[in-house]
Amino acid sequence: MLSKLLKYDGKALKRVLLPIQGGIIAMGLMIALLVIPLKSMGHAENSVLATAINLMLPLLIGLCALVLYAAVIGCFILVIARFYQSLIGGEAALSHTLPVTVDQHLGSKIITAFLWGALTVAAAIVALFLVLCTAAAPAGSVVSFAFVGEIFRFLAQFAPVWQGAYTLALCEGIAFILIAAFTGLMTYYLALVIGGVMAKKHKLLAGIGSLFVINLIMQVLSSTLYIVCALAFAADIKRYDALVNGAQVVMALQPMAIIFLLLYAGLGVAFYFITRYLLKNKLNL
C-alpha cells in the first residue's frame, strides 16, 4: 500500500512542482543567453558603457541566485501544503479512511518530500551552472567550463593539510545536511498536526503558532548546547590554525560534531513518533 501512496502523492506534487522545476531551468537558460550579449558589450570601446555592463553582470547573477533560492523555498512550502491538505485539511477525512497505517502515510510524505526536494535543488543547480558557464567565459568565448576546474584546484590545495580528515568532514557535512533536512521537515509536520489537534477552527494558524514555539525551543536547546560544547572544547580547537592544521581541527571538533548530529537525529526521530501518536490517537477531523 505504501507504493500506491507514493504514486498518489508523487502525482499530486508532480502537477505543481514539475512546471516550477522546468521554469527554473528555463529561467537559468534565458539569463545565460542574456549574459552573452551583455559580456560582449562589456568589452566595448565605450568605457562608460563597459563599466556599467560589468557592474550589472554580478548583480544579474546575484538576482538569479536569489530567484532560484525563492523558487526552492516555494517548492518546500508546496510540499508542506500537500501534507496539510492530505492529512489535516480537505482530504484528511478520505485519507484516514484508507486501509493504510499512519506510518505508511508519514513514510509516503517524507519520501516524496525528499525526492521532489532533491529534484528541485538539482534544477536550481543546473540553472545556476548554465548562468556561470556564460558569465565565467573569457573574452572571445561564449561558454566556458574552466571555472569548474578552478574550484577543484582550489579545494585540492588543502588536501595535503587536511589529509584524511577532509573526507571525514565532508561525510559528516553530508550526514548533517540530510539529518537536518529530515528534522526540519518533521518540525513542520509536527507543528501542523499540533495545530490540527488543538484548534477546531483556524488549524493552519494554530499550526504556524506551534511551529514558532517548537523552533524557539529548538533554538534555545541548540544554543545552550553550543555554548557548553564551545567552553568544553575551546582549548583544543584554539591550539590549531585551520589553514595549517586542518586535520587536527577536524579531529578536535569531532565530539562537538557527533553531539550535534545525535541531537538533530534524536529530535527528528522524537518529532516523528510524536506526530505519529497525534495522528493516530488525537487528531479530531
Side-chain angles (χ1 to χ4, degrees):
M1 199 64 187
L2 177 60
S3 60
K4 292 183 179 180
L5 279 176
L6 287 170
K7 186 177 180 180
Y8 179 74
D9 287 331
K11 283 185 176 180
L13 289 173
K14 178 181 177 181
R15 286 195 294 268
V16 291
L17 293 184
L18 199 59
I20 293 176
Q21 292 167 355
I24 288 173
I25 296 176
M27 186 198 70
L29 181 60
M30 286 190 295
I31 293 179
L33 294 175
L34 179 62
V35 166
I36 294 173
L38 287 177
K39 285 199 67 176
S40 63
M41 294 171 63
H43 296 290
E45 294 182 1
N46 187 330
S47 60
V48 176
L49 177 62
T51 301
I53 295 297
N54 289 329
L55 289 174
M56 186 187 302
L57 281 174
L59 294 176
L60 183 62
I61 296 171
L63 178 62
C64 174
L66 286 175
V67 171
L68 292 176
Y69 177 75
V72 172
I73 296 300
C75 289
F76 176 75
I77 292 173
L78 289 173
V79 168
I80 300 300
R82 172 61 195 162
F83 174 87
Y84 178 83
Q85 182 69 14
S86 178
L87 296 180
I88 302 169
E91 300 178 11
L94 176 61
S95 297
H96 289 287
T97 58
L98 295 174
V100 295
T101 65
V102 173
D103 287 314
Q104 288 174 329
H105 274 302
L106 286 175
S108 176
K109 299 298 183 291
I110 292 169
I111 293 171
T112 51
F114 266 84
L115 175 61
W116 284 102
L119 290 174
T120 303
V121 171
I125 291 173
V126 169
L128 191 59
F129 180 78
L130 292 172
V131 175
L132 292 176
C133 283
T134 55
S141 300
V142 175
V143 177
S144 174
F145 302 102
F147 74 94
V148 179
E150 291 295 330
I151 293 174
F152 280 106
R153 279 191 288 273
F154 173 77
L155 295 175
Q157 67 179 330
F158 296 104
V161 176
W162 287 65
Q163 302 169 1
Y166 184 84
T167 305
L168 177 62
L170 180 62
C171 292
E172 287 180 342
I174 294 172
F176 187 81
I177 290 172
L178 294 175
I179 291 172
F182 171 74
T183 302
L185 185 66
M186 290 310 307
T187 302
Y188 281 83
Y189 286 177
L190 175 60
L192 291 175
V193 172
I194 291 175
V197 170
M198 292 177 57
K200 293 182 179 180
K201 296 181 179 179
H202 309 299
K203 294 182 179 182
L204 182 58
L205 290 177
I208 294 173
S210 301
L211 178 64
F212 175 79
V213 173
I214 293 172
N215 278 327
L216 180 62
I217 294 172
M218 289 179 64
Q219 286 294 327
V220 171
L221 180 62
S222 59
S223 298
T224 303
L225 187 59
Y226 177 80
I227 293 172
V228 172
C229 289
L231 292 175
F233 305 117
D236 292 332
I237 297 171
K238 287 181 178 180
R239 285 186 297 173
Y240 305 110
D241 183 344
L243 296 178
V244 179
N245 307 103
Q248 289 87 342
V249 171
V250 170
M251 298 311 297
L253 285 171
Q254 283 310 293
M256 186 184 297
I258 292 172
I259 288 172
F260 274 90
L261 282 173
L262 292 176
L263 170 66
Y264 278 90
L267 286 174
V269 172
F271 290 169
Y272 175 89
F273 282 104
I274 296 171
T275 303
R276 176 181 182 272
Y277 172 78
L278 293 176
L279 282 174
K280 188 175 181 179
N281 301 292
K282 298 295 183 180
L283 187 61
N284 184 9
L285 300 176

